Amino acid sequence: ELKVEQNPLFLSMQEGKNYTIYCNYSTTSDRLYWYRQDPGKSLESLFVLLSNGAVKQEGRLMASLDTKARLSTLHITAAVHDLSATYFCAWEGAQKLVFGQGTRLTINP
Amino acid sequence: DSGVTQTPKHLITATGQRVTLRCSPRSGDLSVYWYQQSLDQGLQFLIQYYNGEERAKGNILERFSAQQFPDLHSELNLSSLELGDSALYFCASSVDTAWGNYGYTFGSGTRLTVV
């Protein structure tokens, strides 16, 4: 059975600090997605990682993909309060997305 | 506005009732996906339609059904509702070509509360 596991599930950090969210998946996939969700809102696409070694950056967020290790990471640099949200990774395969449990990120001033 | 329109935004109904959730995909997208988000189960894939045909099925209960119409909008029908069906239901659409899928766009969701 396919598993997509994120850790940590909860993360409280101070502004200005760096941190990494990890996403492990059990079955090989060509694509790995990262989404952001604010409370009660929709899913906002952050990154699509298409191949082994792919690295994408947008502002203070950087995502990478290691298909051999079946691992993707989302790195936050010098966190700011506006980045507080829940972050999901999603594995694509068999005509669907399979989501991780989500990481609830709280950034404190 | 993502371009994927879901209606209604909120729905409150009683146990045993039947409801219909509607989704209009982004212009040009042929695929529609339905997901359920609940506190205990997380984000679960329910079903996918491509150009009117069912293409993939996930953890969709027999009490639930869906269809995609010729104009590509989709409806998710939930019947004999139970308290545990209370959740946020998302629709997503994608451009699905012979060369692959070019990403998914999610609607704002329908929050269903069963009382």
Side-chain angles (χ1 to χ4, degrees), chain A residues 2-104:
Chain A
L2 170 67
K3 289 185 180 180
V4 180
E5 295 183 336
Q6 289 181 233
N7 73 85
L9 299 184
F10 298 92
L11 180 55
S12 181
M13 53 194 291
Q14 286 185 314
E15 281 191 326
K17 300 290 188 183
N18 304 332
Y19 212 81
T20 300
I21 300 170
Y22 298 89
C23 174
N24 290 93
Y25 53 97
S26 59
T27 303
T28 300
S29 170
D30 291 334
R31 301 181 195 208
L32 197 291
Y33 295 75
W34 284 96
Y35 287 90
R36 167 183 172 146
Q37 186 181 36
D38 292 303
K41 302 294 186 182
S42 186
L43 292 154
E44 175 191 353
S45 179
L46 294 175
F47 301 107
V48 181
L49 301 168
L50 300 177
S51 61
N52 188 41
V55 177
K56 288 196 174 180
Q57 182 160 7
E58 181 73 35
R60 300 172 189 276
L61 301 178
M62 183 175 72
S64 65
L65 179 63
D66 181 345
T67 57
K68 293 179 182 176
R70 297 179 187 169
L71 170 69
S72 181
T73 61
L74 180 66
H75 186 74
I76 302 144
T77 302
V80 293
H81 179 68
D82 285 352
L83 291 178
S84 295
T86 299
Y87 292 86
F88 292 92
C89 64
W91 172 100
E92 183 185 42
Q95 319 296 337
K96 65 186 178 190
L97 291 176
V98 178
F99 285 86
Q101 312 96 308
T103 297
R104 185 178 295 180

Side-chain angles (χ1 to χ4, degrees), chain B residues 15-52:
Chain B
T15 54
Q17 295 299 304
R18 181 179 189 275
V19 296
T20 298
L21 313 184
R22 181 187 169 107
C23 169
S24 294
R26 199 177 53 167
S27 177
D29 288 356
L30 299 178
S31 280
V32 170
Y33 307 77
W34 287 97
Y35 286 84
Q36 179 194 58
Q37 186 177 31
S38 61
L39 284 175
D40 55 345
Q41 295 291 323
L43 271 159
Q44 297 283 320
F45 169 70
L46 296 179
I47 199 163
Q48 181 211 358
Y49 279 82
Y50 174 77
N51 204 22

